[in-house]
Amino acid sequence: MNGRSKVSGGTVGGGLLVAGTTSDAGKSVVTAGICRWLVRQGVRVAPFKAQNMSLNSFVTREGAEIGRAQAMQAAAARVEPTALMNPVLLKPGGDRSSQVVLLGKPVGELSARGYHAGRQEQLLGTVTDCLAELRRTHDAVICEGAGSPAEINLRRTDIVNMGIARAARIPVVVVGDIDRGGVFASFFGTTALLSKEDQALVAGYLVNKFRGDVTLLEPGLEMMRRLSGRPTLGVLPFAHGLGIDEEDGLRVSLRGAVRESVVAPPHGADVLRVAVAAVPLMSNFTDVDALAAEPGVVVRFVDRAEELADADLVVLPGTRGTVRALAWLRERGLADAIVRRAAEGRPVLGICGGFQMLGERIEDEVESRAGTVEGLGLLPVRVRFAAEKTLARPAGVALGEPVEGYEIHHGVAEVTGGDEAFMSDGRGHGLDGCRVGSVWGTHWHGSLESDGFRRAFLRRVAADAGRAFVPAPDTSFAGLREEQLDRLGDLIEEHADTDALLRLIEEGVPEGLPFVPPGAP
């Protein structure tokens, strides 16, 4: 939107790009926080990320696949997520190639060199059109960059950082993670490595994850203003539990990591321990966040067979490489440990790729091209990988409770038996997955976010595991997510210069921002 719109007594229009000095500087949560702050002011706001590299994705109501971070930001903005908000999604299949998802649909596999050598630059028109449409229908669009805008080797083909900022002529705020150290050098270096034209769009900085007395930081902030000619627009304090819907399970090692849990004692006499196999190319690992939201449930990621010994539930999560993950389980002895668990009647849950691994065999000429591979043989399921990806938002009934989810998979499962279907239509017809004893499998991501179903499932797990664990009767996962998003909005409202942010959104790029030498070569 090039003009301005009257909203709740104020005038806003245009957009803002939240860039970062590094990956994981906090761009996603800052973008969500600004969206939540704006919508609380009565502004019609939408998030946008031109290009996202992530194995953590979501399916919109129209059946488009986008990054989960953008779905979370849409929730922060209180709007329905659409493919316009993340027109290009890259899903890594290894270190050098990714599946390219364009406007919510897969269009092929490309090497990193092939993508940056031409395909990426061709997409600039598509992403600018999507941004223009969002700006036409909203008062403000808060864009998120990727990695760092100072990746000078990739600037020529950039469509997500300064490339989109230049094309749309929107101001840029750079976020730096002070908890890592070197934030002032990162701010200055990021700015100084940009061309004069790109620097003219960088309007200020945001310090993220600060611990301590902010007055000790103020001399440095003033020196940064003098050195760069740009203000620091806020110092956001370090806050636990706000790393929601992270983008990329490849980039961050989850070995031994514990998902944030509600700080509350267990409702029953026992805790319930959940071990998630940290398989290669893990996708949608946020599926287990709903388990961690339950008081008394401890969730951690593991990669050793001995770490399953004290687990009450083992989860095999989704993965972009089912056959590769299955080989990894076998190499590490985890496959044998899981088979022994099942023989002892101890609970196992497979989600999407994890469900496929629990079956009898996998025929894959699409993802790994490995042909026929034997599964773990714990569920009567045969999987054949199809060229067309299933993208859906199903709903049904499981364990007598309503359940919703979303599907993202190439594998088509043929269930040939079992004690019962996992998900049904409530009228006796199976919709997805199956159960044999205490082994469960489903293609549905996000199903554990359905509160009644999650509690019913945990009661079954506790009974099979012999634990006196009782799910709390009032845990609302959606309510907890809303609280998290409100906390992000509070961080922006209380610790950022919101008047300055609003001026940037309303008035665009300030005039006369100075050049910081040497600039891009």
Side-chain angles (χ1 to χ4, degrees), residues 13-31:
L16 181 72
L17 175 70
V18 179
T21 57
T22 62
S23 296
D24 297 320
K27 298 182 292 291
S28 293
V29 293
V30 167
T31 299

Side-chain angles (χ1 to χ4, degrees), residues 115-126 156-159:
Y115 183 66
H116 289 289
R119 179 61 167 161
Q120 185 179 34
E121 198 170 10
Q122 296 169 7
L123 294 173
L124 181 59
T126 299
R156 183 182 63 81
T157 57
D158 169 52
I159 63 172

Side-chain angles (χ1 to χ4, degrees), residues 376-399:
L376 297 180
L378 300 180
L379 292 176
V381 176
R382 297 171 184 173
V383 176
R384 178 184 54 81
F385 273 65
E388 186 174 348
K389 181 185 285 189
T390 297
L391 296 169
R393 286 278 294 271
V397 174
L399 301 179

Side-chain angles (χ1 to χ4, degrees), residues 372-420:
T372 300
V373 177
E374 295 300 310
L376 297 180
L378 300 180
L379 292 176
V381 176
R382 297 171 184 173
V383 176
R384 178 184 54 81
F385 273 65
E388 186 174 348
K389 181 185 285 189
T390 297
L391 296 169
R393 286 278 294 271
V397 174
L399 301 179
E401 298 286 347
V403 60
E404 296 182 358
Y406 56 98
E407 293 184 67
I408 307 169
H409 54 91
H410 283 279
V412 178
E414 177 191 1
V415 179
T416 60
D419 299 334
E420 61 180 317

Side-chain angles (χ1 to χ4, degrees), residues 78-90:
R78 295 180 179 144
V79 295
E80 188 69 29
T82 73
L84 292 174
M85 297 172 184
N86 180 205
V88 181
L89 174 63
L90 305 178

Side-chain angles (χ1 to χ4, degrees), residues 171-403:
V172 178
V173 173
V174 180
V175 177
D177 179 357
I178 197 171
D179 198 48
R180 295 182 173 191
V183 73
F184 293 123
S186 298
F187 283 148
F188 186 83
T190 296
T191 308
L193 279 177
L194 301 179
S195 69
K196 184 176 181 180
E197 294 78 10
D198 286 350
Q199 284 192 29
L201 302 177
V202 177
Y205 311 110
L206 267 173
V207 175
N208 192 29
K209 300 182 184 178
F210 179 72
R211 308 174 193 248
D213 183 351
V214 74
T215 61
L216 299 176
L217 196 63
E218 288 171 354
L221 303 180
E222 180 54 34
M223 283 187 272
M224 271 302 301
R225 178 190 282 272
R226 292 200 302 268
L227 285 166
S228 70
R230 293 159 173 82
T232 296
L233 303 176
V235 178
L236 309 181
F238 189 97
H240 289 282
L242 295 183
I244 50 180
D245 290 358
E246 295 97 327
E247 288 185 353
D248 197 351
L250 269 183
R251 191 169 60 241
V252 181
S253 171
L254 290 173
R255 165 74 183 88
V258 179
R259 298 303 278 174
E260 293 280 358
S261 299
V262 173
V263 182
H267 193 69
D270 279 349
V271 299
L272 206 62
R273 295 174 177 84
V274 178
V276 184
V279 297
L281 299 176
M282 183 170 13
S283 61
N284 289 69
F285 54 85
T286 47
D287 280 336
V288 299
D289 284 356
L291 297 178
E294 288 285 349
V297 176
V298 179
V299 177
R300 56 188 189 121
F301 292 84
V302 304
D303 61 2
R304 298 173 184 168
E306 57 268 28
E307 293 174 302
L308 304 186
D310 66 345
D312 302 305
L313 170 66
V314 170
V315 177
L316 291 183
T319 171
R320 172 84 162 83
T322 301
V323 170
R324 175 177 168 182
L326 186 55
W328 180 88
L329 290 176
R330 288 180 167 134
E331 289 166 3
R332 291 176 170 262
L334 286 159
D336 289 341
I338 290 168
V339 171
R340 286 195 299 271
R341 285 183 62 90
E344 295 165 359
R346 302 174 67 194
V348 177
L349 169 65
I351 302 173
C352 199
F355 168 41
Q356 296 166 6
M357 287 186 274
L358 291 173
E360 296 169 351
R361 71 168 187 246
I362 299 167
E363 296 176 18
D364 182 10
E365 299 293 349
V366 175
E367 190 175 79
S368 68
R369 296 182 173 86
T372 300
V373 177
E374 295 300 310
L376 297 180
L378 300 180
L379 292 176
V381 176
R382 297 171 184 173
V383 176
R384 178 184 54 81
F385 273 65
E388 186 174 348
K389 181 185 285 189
T390 297
L391 296 169
R393 286 278 294 271
V397 174
L399 301 179
E401 298 286 347
V403 60

